[in-house]
Amino acid sequence: MTTIDTRPLRTLVHTAGSPEGEWWRDAVIYQVYPRSFADASGDGIGDLPGVTARLDHLAELGVDAVWLSPFYRSPQADAGYDVADYRDVDPLFGTLADFDEMLERAHRLGLRVIVDLVPNHTSDEHVWFQAALAAGAGSPERARYLFREGRGVDGTEPPNNWQSIFGGPAWTRTTDPDGTPGEWYLHLFDSRQPDLDWEHPEVRSEFEDVLRFWLDRGVDGFRIDVAHGMVKAPGLPDWDGHVSMIDGSDDVEPTDTVSGSGNQGPMFDQEGVHDIYRAWNRVLAEYPGDRALVAEAWVEPLSRLSRYVRSDEMHQAFNFAFLATHWHAPALRTVVEASYRASDAVGAPTTWVLSNHDVVRHASRLGLAEPGSRPNGIGRGDEQPDEALGLQRARCASLLMLGLPGSAYLYQGEELGLPDHTSLDDDLRQDPAFFRTGGAERGRDGCRVPLPWSATEDGFGFSPSGVTWLPQPEEWASYALDAQRGVPGSTYETYRAALQLRRESGLGSGGLEWLRGLGDDVIAFVNRDVLVVANLGTGPVPLPAGAEILLASIDPAFADDGSVLVPSDATIWARYTD
Ligand code: NOJ
């Protein structure tokens, strides 16, 4: 076979870098949501010894690093994103010794470990907040949070009109020790998650110290929760815009820089946050090796997001614009291009992501009539995704993502093709967003269901007792790891093959040239010597001649003359042969 010269049809978007760069530039990072990953204690809630016991799975899968959602001491009002003690492990998840053991095992397996830091707010059970409540108005203890007098007669109205991202007002009124109504405090999330005042020097020094505490234990980095929210506009002015965890504006038409994934308003993306990250960058630089800070910042346009990853700030920022883009090839091409333009301008890698613990899993999102639209959870009575179509598209989307240069984040279970639990009983739900919206938002429990490890064991092998804190749908037997391991073409084996090829071919540090001419519904590009063709259209398209298939998200089709066709909703990786 002869090599086909496709160079005239190529457009350079992103130039390849060195494969020898810092590890995070091209890393595939696997998100472990500890309460749902693996349970060792038998109480039905995942824990750190459970993570340790299953790290072999992640090494075998071929990821580079693990990011753990919070496991710190917490009353669990928001599944651990309400931290009462930043320097201890919640007994639900184990002990500090369990953490050290997990970290050591991960490092021995060659896996880096990133932990979650939640600096925008504490738990209401944090000693600082308890002291603030006890000390009363005007006290130094209250100055670490955002306490304010109410408006209106007797201060009965909240200090401003901000809404909580979980629904309802962003302010809660306190009661003074004598039983009379007192000041209000700000909470962008649940009332049990009071926002800290980042103008306060003690808040700043405390978090630098917390960083050091975990760096001293050997972590490789931090995922920073609500990284765009810590500093608020002076005077906390009223704002009439919409706030939501995932923005909620699904009707936004993706443009060059906007996909509808940005939080706006005087509580987000203020200039002052960048000073914090410059200081944290310096803290990390005191430690050997390449430690990383990754921003969870729902900020748009991408040029604003890229400001978080300037060379003296953080290292990565989740690319939610990509996650939020609908199943539409031109829109995806636009967002991919805009992502490289923005991150290349500051010398940072892009950071692709399709699923996490806050959004409906992509295997479910892509099975909806409006594929990729982002409902705030799916429940009984809502439109149910087409499971087979969702899985096919999810595999297509994942191979598209893993073929792109940059770093990529996987959410636990996506390597199994797991959908959300979309018919969970409302009385089992735990997400505060469900309660604060009166059920209007189903919330995020559907993507947080314990993983199926074994098709035949009770609780699909999640826990030795068979107990799971949320029920798993019966159909999940077919998604269990042991039902897929070693089965050619299974979602798990496809991910494993993709990660191996990605590593061997240097795709993470590679470049991107669009390959034009395959039609508007096709996303086709060349990364190093690998050709990636994702067909989002309704009919098959021919794979360019002379290209040999390396990997396919589903079985390819063949034309009458025997040439390869990329089926609808499929991605093929191929290499030109001589
Ligand atoms: C973002 C986290 O990912 C989410 O789970 C949490 O509820 C909010 N931040 C508040 O901490």
Side-chain angles (χ1 to χ4, degrees):
M1 228 181 257
T2 47
T3 307
I4 307 296
D5 186 3
T6 55
R7 274 170 299 181
L9 296 171
R10 295 187 189 187
T11 312
L12 180 67
V13 175
H14 169 76
T15 312
S18 156
E20 307 308 323
E22 294 99 333
W23 69 270
W24 40 264
R25 288 189 175 271
D26 55 1
V28 175
I29 302 174
Y30 183 100
Q31 179 186 359
V32 166
Y33 192 66
R35 64 170 45 229
S36 301
F37 185 69
D39 175 28
S41 71
D43 65 357
I45 300 177
D47 46 37
L48 292 176
V51 176
T52 309
R54 296 286 190 180
L55 283 173
D56 285 353
H57 162 64
L58 302 184
E60 180 185 272
L61 178 61
V63 300
D64 302 295
V66 178
W67 147 39
L68 288 121
S69 280
F71 46 77
Y72 313 109
R73 254 183 208 278
S74 158
Q76 307 292 321
D78 181 22
Y81 281 94
D82 50 318
V83 181
D85 183 346
Y86 290 86
R87 296 179 184 80
D88 202 3
V89 172
D90 196 280
L92 209 52
F93 300 119
T95 61
L96 272 175
D98 292 331
F99 176 83
D100 292 340
E101 203 176 310
M102 184 276 303
L103 187 62
E104 201 210 322
R105 173 87 189 128
H107 282 164
R108 245 187 298 132
L109 289 168
L111 298 166
R112 315 243 180 190
V113 176
I114 289 179
V115 295
D116 217 306
L117 187 70
V118 188
N120 178 68
H121 44 264
T122 68
S123 157
D124 61 339
E125 292 187 14
H126 191 282
V127 284
W128 277 3
F129 193 71
Q130 288 300 314
L133 287 182
S139 63
E141 287 83 355
R142 286 209 173 176
R144 298 184 190 118
Y145 291 89
L146 291 156
F147 282 88
R148 294 289 184 275
E149 289 292 328
R151 297 200 283 205
V153 180
D154 296 328
T156 50
E157 300 296 322
N160 70 21
N161 69 353
W162 293 3
Q163 295 295 297
S164 153
I165 286 168
F166 291 161
W171 295 91
T172 292
R173 194 165 195 186
T174 57
T175 305
D176 285 337
D178 64 2
T180 57
E183 288 184 317
W184 299 71
Y185 66 90
L186 178 72
H187 50 88
L188 289 186
F189 295 89
D190 191 67
S191 54
R192 302 202 54 193
Q193 294 167 292
D195 278 47
L196 287 162
D197 185 350
W198 273 85
E199 304 300 340
H200 197 298
E202 272 180 45
V203 171
R204 293 192 181 226
S205 59
E206 166 68 359
F207 276 90
E208 290 184 16
D209 208 60
V210 170
L211 288 174
R212 289 198 173 89
F213 178 86
W214 293 102
L215 288 165
D216 287 340
R217 295 198 103 81
V219 303
D220 299 286
F222 300 88
R223 175 263 191 194
I224 309 301
D225 191 61
V226 205
H228 58 317
M230 282 132 78
V231 175
K232 279 78 182 175
L236 310 180
D238 276 345
W239 191 65
D240 293 317
H242 175 82
V243 291
S244 157
M245 184 69 220
I246 56 167
D247 179 71
S249 3
D250 278 338
D251 51 356
V252 172
E253 266 306 306
T255 66
D256 209 17
T257 50
V258 173
S259 70
S261 68
N263 292 147
Q264 296 171 333
M267 61 295 271
F268 291 122
D269 197 24
Q270 301 294 307
E271 199 49 40
V273 291
H274 296 287
D275 277 347
I276 300 171
Y277 303 130
R278 281 189 273 270
W280 290 7
N281 182 297
R282 292 193 291 273
V283 172
L284 264 65
E286 293 165 15
Y287 288 80
D290 302 321
R291 320 275 175 137
L293 293 167
V294 53
E296 189 237 5
W298 294 82
V299 168
E300 289 208 318
L302 283 154
S303 54
R304 290 292 299 182
L305 182 66
S306 66
R307 300 171 86 246
Y308 288 74
V309 288
R310 288 176 288 194
S311 61
D312 58 348
E313 297 194 30
M314 301 217 227
H315 305 89
Q316 298 185 330
F318 291 108
N319 186 339
F320 293 129
F322 176 69
L323 179 154
T325 300
H326 288 200
W327 196 238
H328 185 230
L332 283 163
R333 272 195 303 268
T334 297
V335 85
V336 166
E337 261 186 47
S339 303
Y340 287 116
R341 209 173 23 252
S343 55
D344 286 351
V346 292
T350 47
T351 303
W352 308 106
V353 57
L354 286 165
S355 284
N356 65 30
H357 66 292
D358 289 329
V359 299
V360 172
R361 287 174 177 275
H362 62 290
S364 294
R365 284 200 317 269
L366 296 174
L368 292 170
E370 174 69 68
S373 55
R374 288 169 300 121
N376 284 306
I378 299 176
R380 223 172 250 172
D382 296 331
E383 179 201 339
Q384 293 294 302
D386 176 328
E387 190 176 336
L389 182 64
L391 177 58
Q392 180 172 334
R393 286 182 169 155
R395 292 168 55 136
C396 172
S398 299
L399 279 201
L400 165 64
M401 173 177 88
L402 292 172
L404 290 166
S407 171
Y409 277 78
L410 307 182
Y411 177 46
Q412 64 177 39
E414 72 168 83
E415 77 280 19
L416 306 175
L418 217 57
D420 264 35
H421 190 326
T422 55
S423 56
L424 200 60
D425 271 342
D426 282 351
D427 55 13
L428 295 175
R429 292 190 184 278
Q430 303 206 7
D431 185 353
F434 174 77
F435 300 102
R436 291 186 60 91
T437 60
E441 286 186 13
R442 301 297 183 162
R444 300 162 292 172
D445 296 302
C447 66
R448 298 176 174 182
V449 173
L451 290 191
W453 294 93
S454 152
T456 49
E457 285 174 45
D458 286 347
F460 297 130
F462 170 72
S463 163
S465 62
V467 177
T468 60
W469 69 277
L470 282 175
Q472 301 151 309
E474 268 170 41
E475 319 78 75
W476 277 21
S478 63
Y479 292 97
L481 176 65
D482 69 356
Q484 299 196 42
R485 209 161 160 247
V487 177
S490 67
T491 306
Y492 171 73
E493 292 299 345
T494 306
Y495 264 75
R496 212 156 79 85
L499 294 181
Q500 190 180 341
L501 265 167
R502 187 184 142 94
R503 187 188 296 257
E504 285 167 4
S505 310
L507 300 187
S509 62
L512 184 130
E513 284 178 280
W514 289 137
L515 186 61
R516 288 172 285 111
L518 295 177
D520 219 29
D521 292 332
V522 177
I523 303 173
F525 58 89
V526 179
N527 177 356
R528 298 207 187 268
D529 63 346
V530 173
L531 168 67
V532 176
V533 182
N535 178 11
L536 278 62
T538 49
V541 296
L543 187 71
E548 181 190 283
I549 298 181
L550 297 170
L551 187 63
S553 65
I554 54 170
D555 285 341
F558 295 94
D560 292 342
D561 64 1
S563 60
V564 179
L565 299 173
V566 186
S568 168
D569 291 323
T571 300
I572 287 185
W573 289 12
R575 184 175 282 141
Y576 290 112
T577 51
D578 281 321

